[in-house]
C-alpha cells in the first residue's frame, strides 16, 4: 500500500465530527480544565477526541512550531545537523537552560527561543511563506515578523491540523529531504521503552489571553503508530505539567501505553 494512499485513509476521519469520548472528558473534568485532546492511529482507524469544537479551533502554535521549524532550518542549511553549535550571545534569559552555547538538539529539548530566532533570520520570511503554503500548515496572518510569528499569534493551528501534519511528517510526504526528517526524528525523541517510543514537543502561547498550552507528537508501538495533540487553557504556571500528564493519562486510558 502506497504512503499516499495510507495518508489519504488516515486523513479521512478529520472530515467528519467525532463523538465525544467520555473517558477523555472525565480526565479534563477531574482537573477542572478547559482543553482538547485528539488521539488518532495510523493503521487501525481508531480516533478519540475530547471537545471536538475546540479540536477544530485554531490557536497560536507556540513552540510546537519547532517541529516544522527544524525541518525548514535543516533543509535550508540554516543549521547542518543536530550537533552543530550555536554560540550564545551573552544575553541573560529568564530560562537558565538557554544561557549557554546550544546545539540544535539541546535547543529543541529546552525550547530555546533565541536559537530558533537565529535560524529564522537565516531562513527568511519568504522561505517560510513558501513552506507554509506548500504544506498547508495552519494559518499565517500577514504581515508577520520572521523572528516572532510562531510566538505572537501570527501563526495559528488546530489540534486536528496538528495531527494531520504529524502524520505527513511520519510518512515523509512533505517536501523535505531524508536528512531533514532524520534530524527531526533524533531531536524530537522523548522516551524509548521496550513497549513504545515517543516523539513529542510542548508549546506555551504566553502572548494571548487566555494562554494556551500544547503537547503534540506520536508514539510507535509494535501494533500501530498513534498521534496525539493536546491543548489546554493555561490559568497559571502550575497548569503547565498538565499538558504532558493529561496526554499520558489519556494514552493509558485508551490502551496505547501502559
Amino acid at each position: 500500500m502506497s504512503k499516499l494512499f495510507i495518508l489519504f485513509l488516515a486523513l479521512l476521519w478529520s472530515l467528519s465530527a467525532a463523538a465525544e469520548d467520555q473517558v477523555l472528558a472525565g480526565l479534563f473534568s477531574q482537573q477542572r480544565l478547559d482543553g482538547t485532546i485528539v488521539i488518532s492511529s495510523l493503521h487501525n482507524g481508531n480516533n478519540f477526541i475530547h471537545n471536538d469544537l475546540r479540536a477544530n479551533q485554531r490557536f497560536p502554535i507556540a513552540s510546537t512550531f519547532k517541529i516544522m521549524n527544524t525541518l525548514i532550518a535543516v533543509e535550508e542549511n540554516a543549521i547542518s545537523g543536530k550537533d552543530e553549535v550555536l554560540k550564545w550571545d551573552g544575553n541573560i534569559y529568564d530560562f537558565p537552560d538557554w544561557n549557554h552555547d546550544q546545539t540544535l538538539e539541546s535547543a529543541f529539548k529546552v525550547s530555546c527561543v533565541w536559537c530558533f530566532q537565529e535560524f529564522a533570520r537565516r531562513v527568511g520570511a519568504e522561505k517560510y511563506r513558501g513552506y507554509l503554503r506548500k504544506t498547508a500548515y495552519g494559518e499565517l496572518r500577514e504581515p508577520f515578523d520572521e523572528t516572532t510569528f510562531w510566538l505572537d499569534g501570527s501563526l495559528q493551528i488546530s489540534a486536528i491540523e496538528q495531527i494531520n501534519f504529524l502524520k505527513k511528517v511520519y510518512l515523509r510526504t512533505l517536501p523535505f529531504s531524508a536528512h531533514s526528517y532524520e534530524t527531526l526524528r533524533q531531536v524530537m525523541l522523548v522516551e524509548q521503552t521496550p513497549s513504545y517510543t515517543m516523539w513529542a514537543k510542548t508549546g506555551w502561547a504566553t502572548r494571548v489571553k487566555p494562554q494556551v498550552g500544547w503537547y503534540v507528537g506520536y508514539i510507535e508501538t509494535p501494533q500501530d503508530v498513534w498521534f496525539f495533540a493536546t491543548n489546554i487553557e493555561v490559568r497559571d504556571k502550575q497548569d503547565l505539567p498538565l499538558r504532558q500528564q493529561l496526554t499520558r493519562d489519556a494514552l493509558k486510558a485508551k490502551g496505547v501505553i501502559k
Side-chain angles (χ1 to χ4, degrees), residues 25 99 117 159:
N99 296 327
Q117 288 181 316

Side-chain angles (χ1 to χ4, degrees), residues 176-218:
F176 297 103
S177 67
H179 174 58
S180 298
Y181 280 119
E182 188 55 34
T183 301
L184 173 64
R185 185 175 172 87
Q186 292 174 23
V187 303
M188 193 175 165
L189 180 65
V190 169
E191 183 180 8
Q192 195 162 18
T193 77
S195 57
Y196 67 86
T197 305
M198 176 187 285
W199 292 264
K201 185 71 193 75
T202 56
W204 181 19
T206 62
R207 304 187 189 186
V208 293
K209 298 295 181 185
Q211 296 180 359
V212 178
W214 285 100
Y215 196 50
V216 306
Y218 61 94

Side-chain angles (χ1 to χ4, degrees), residues 19-113:
E20 171 70 6
D21 189 293
Q22 295 302 321
V23 173
L24 300 183
L27 296 175
F28 280 77
S29 178
Q30 289 169 19
Q31 300 292 344
R32 296 186 175 88
L33 201 62
D34 187 16
T36 185
I37 184 168
V38 182
I39 301 173
S40 177
S41 72
L42 184 63
H43 298 302
N44 68 22
N46 285 335
N47 304 287
F48 310 108
I49 299 180
H50 163 57
N51 197 342
D52 179 72
L53 183 63
R54 186 180 175 101
N56 283 281
Q57 182 180 349
R58 286 173 170 158
F59 294 93
I61 195 165
S63 284
T64 64
F65 184 61
K66 288 182 173 66
I67 299 172
M68 173 67 98
N69 215 356
T70 295
L71 289 170
I72 295 172
V74 176
E75 193 73 14
E76 292 298 322
N77 296 311
I79 187 115
S80 61
K82 71 182 184 70
D83 297 320
E84 182 180 337
V85 175
L86 285 172
K87 289 293 185 180
W88 176 43
D89 62 8
N91 287 328
I92 303 298
Y93 299 93
D94 292 337
F95 300 93
D97 285 342
W98 297 1
N99 296 327
H100 54 73
D101 293 351
Q102 303 282 347
T103 62
L104 173 58
E105 184 170 34
S106 69
F108 192 96
K109 300 296 187 190
V110 302
S111 215
C112 177
V113 168

